[in-house]
Amino acid sequence: MNDNFLKACRGEKTRPVPVWFMRQAGRYLPEYQQIRGRADFLTMCKTPELAAEVTLQPVDLLGVDAAILFSDILIPLEAMGAGLTFKEGRGPVITPPVRSWDEFSILHSVDPQKDLIFVLDTIRILRKELSEKVPLIGFAGAPFTLATYLIEGGTTKSFVHTKKMLFSKPDLFRAVMNLITDVTIKYLSAQIDAGAQAVQLFDTWGGILTRQDFRDGALVYARRIFHALKDKGVPMIYFVYDGGHLLDLVRHSGADVFGLDWRTDIKTALKSLGQDAVVQGNLDPCLLFLTEDRLRERIAEILYQGLCAKAHIFNLGHGVLPEIPPDKVRLAIDIIHELSS
Ligand code: CP3
């Protein structure tokens, strides 16, 4: 098996540098669209054979060094009793939004072996299929990011309901966060027991907070998850999108690897994370629209900066966009491998 990804997670410098891309399975791939034409997104997530097939597509088509489970961070919210739908062109919708103790009282903890068994079955299929290939990454949403979807009822620009609860109903906010945190510990623990060889916690919206509110309202919960899972012995990645101002706090999260978006370059990030940090990132996904020569220069710069870290896993600074030509994604992966060999 190609275990460069796991080696790098554990702090070993590898040649070539391992690469995988967030949203590497997704709408930009015609092979994904073909399956998506027959099943809606949630059905794909809940049908282990389909979820496994889609997970494997980028491994076989692009040559990435890790597979990431095909699912969504919002899946556990449904298992907790929230209504979840994905509306075409509108993104996720959660009903009812949780803004009062009454709405909170509908939610409950989960038993992953029952309520999320389709995810665990997908992982078991994948470990068989991937045994000679690459490691499998499991994942979950970080509590603050999941709470924003639960409280806003979907995607938002202002986060006004979330911040309103944080500042005017702190007891309710804490209750929501504690429940999500407990569920996430059980969920990731079950993913690891089913065969996930690393896990990533996605904190897509942690970056909207001030340092103080991130520390008290988001990081304490993420840290509780990393500490609870430490003994499981698999590498844990923490990705706070748009979190450049938070990196010296993120450093103390208990994660083994720190994901970086493109706004903060690796050298600058290491000043906050410490030179002994393992980092993952951080090409702006839109740079994949560059011509080959220009793209090569930008990749070389990131690889060069990655040498300053204890170890580096190449990734994008956020997910692959549906508009990006698959050939460019494949080209980028080839260039990363070639330049770092
Ligand atoms: O990375 C992968 O390849 C693994 C699968 C994965 C998906 N979503 C599949 C997906 C992962 C790891 C996620 C994480 C996720 N989901 C995050 C955190 C990372 C990030 O992007 O910031 C968030 C915030 C979500 C919530 C979510 N899921 C939204 C807001 C949307 C709608 C917007 C969009 O991009 O479509 C989704 C849908 C979604 N999740 C799709 C996929 C492939 C598109 C579904 C489709 O086929 O229509």
Side-chain angles (χ1 to χ4, degrees):
M1 192 192 52
N2 164 6
D3 62 353
N4 277 345
F5 167 76
L6 291 175
K7 283 184 175 149
C9 284
R10 302 208 154 93
E12 207 179 301
K13 280 198 163 81
T14 63
R15 282 175 189 222
V17 165
V19 52
W20 69 278
F21 285 170
M22 294 184 275
R23 290 281 173 98
Q24 63 189 15
R27 284 163 296 186
Y28 76 101
L29 278 179
E31 292 80 359
Y32 173 92
Q33 294 286 8
Q34 208 199 331
I35 296 178
R36 182 72 171 76
R38 290 188 269 123
D40 64 51
F41 175 60
L42 278 179
T43 304
M44 284 170 69
C45 292
K46 291 178 191 174
T47 312
E49 294 71 24
L50 291 182
E53 185 178 345
V54 174
T55 305
L56 293 171
Q57 286 176 347
V59 176
D60 298 330
L61 296 164
L62 309 174
V64 288
D65 298 291
I68 179 159
L69 167 72
F70 185 81
S71 184
D72 198 86
I73 61 166
L74 304 178
I75 291 282
L77 296 184
E78 191 181 42
M80 288 165 65
L84 171 65
T85 50
F86 281 86
K87 297 244 156 71
E88 219 59 55
R90 241 190 86 189
V93 179
I94 305 276
T95 43
V98 175
R99 297 174 194 168
S100 67
W101 283 103
D102 274 356
E103 285 144 358
F104 175 69
S105 71
I106 303 168
L107 302 178
H108 49 77
S109 191
V110 305
D111 175 359
Q113 304 298 336
K114 269 208 332 261
D115 308 319
L116 294 158
I117 187 73
F118 51 89
V119 175
L120 308 180
D121 287 341
T122 305
I123 292 173
R124 284 186 274 263
I125 295 173
L126 282 167
R127 280 302 304 278
K128 282 200 198 102
E129 299 278 337
L130 287 167
S131 62
E132 307 290 310
K133 295 179 179 171
V134 295
L136 176 65
I137 306 169
F139 70 87
F144 181 75
T145 290
L146 289 184
T148 69
Y149 285 99
L150 206 52
I151 298 166
E152 304 291 336
T155 303
T156 173
K157 283 206 170 77
S158 71
F159 298 91
V160 64
H161 298 291
T162 309
K163 290 185 177 181
K164 185 177 169 194
M165 189 192 292
L166 173 62
F167 300 131
S168 71
K169 295 183 188 166
D171 292 348
L172 178 56
F173 181 81
R174 270 195 296 274
V176 171
M177 293 294 283
N178 281 331
L179 178 61
I180 298 174
T181 302
D182 291 346
V183 166
T184 306
I185 291 169
K186 285 190 200 170
Y187 182 43
L188 285 177
S189 181
Q191 287 188 32
I192 294 167
D193 292 344
Q197 290 153 291
V199 291
Q200 174 156 323
L201 204 59
F202 285 90
D203 216 344
T204 304
W205 302 122
I208 66 153
L209 294 171
T210 65
R211 290 166 52 77
Q212 180 178 341
D213 298 316
F214 174 76
R215 193 187 57 210
D216 301 341
L219 183 61
V220 282
Y221 303 92
R223 194 193 285 136
R224 208 194 293 162
I225 295 170
F226 291 124
H227 283 276
L229 297 174
K230 197 106 215 150
D231 289 345
K232 292 267 173 192
V234 309
M236 301 180 289
I237 309 165
Y238 190 25
F239 174 59
V240 184
Y241 176 69
D242 205 357
H245 60 304
L246 305 170
L247 290 174
D248 61 318
L249 302 171
V250 163
R251 173 183 191 172
H252 302 292
S253 58
D256 304 295
V257 179
F258 303 102
L260 300 173
D261 72 84
W262 63 88
R263 294 170 183 83
T264 314
D265 60 50
I266 293 176
K267 273 190 180 164
T268 309
L270 289 172
K271 289 184 189 147
S272 302
L273 291 171
Q275 299 297 319
D276 59 344
V278 180
V279 295
Q280 175 176 278
N282 66 343
L283 187 79
D284 180 344
C286 285
L287 288 175
L288 293 171
F289 290 118
L290 285 173
T291 59
E292 177 170 351
D293 287 353
R294 287 278 171 81
L295 178 62
R296 183 178 285 271
E297 286 169 17
R298 300 300 288 264
I299 288 173
E301 176 61 26
I302 291 172
L303 285 169
Y304 179 69
Q305 295 206 16
L307 290 172
C308 302
K310 186 169 187 201
H312 178 210
I313 297 154
F314 206 107
N315 205 315
L316 302 178
H318 206 185
V320 184
L321 300 164
E323 293 81 1
I324 293 173
D327 284 349
K328 267 299 182 45
V329 179
R330 194 176 305 116
L331 176 67
I333 289 162
D334 289 346
I335 293 172
I336 294 158
H337 281 149
E338 180 205 316
L339 292 179
S340 64
S341 283

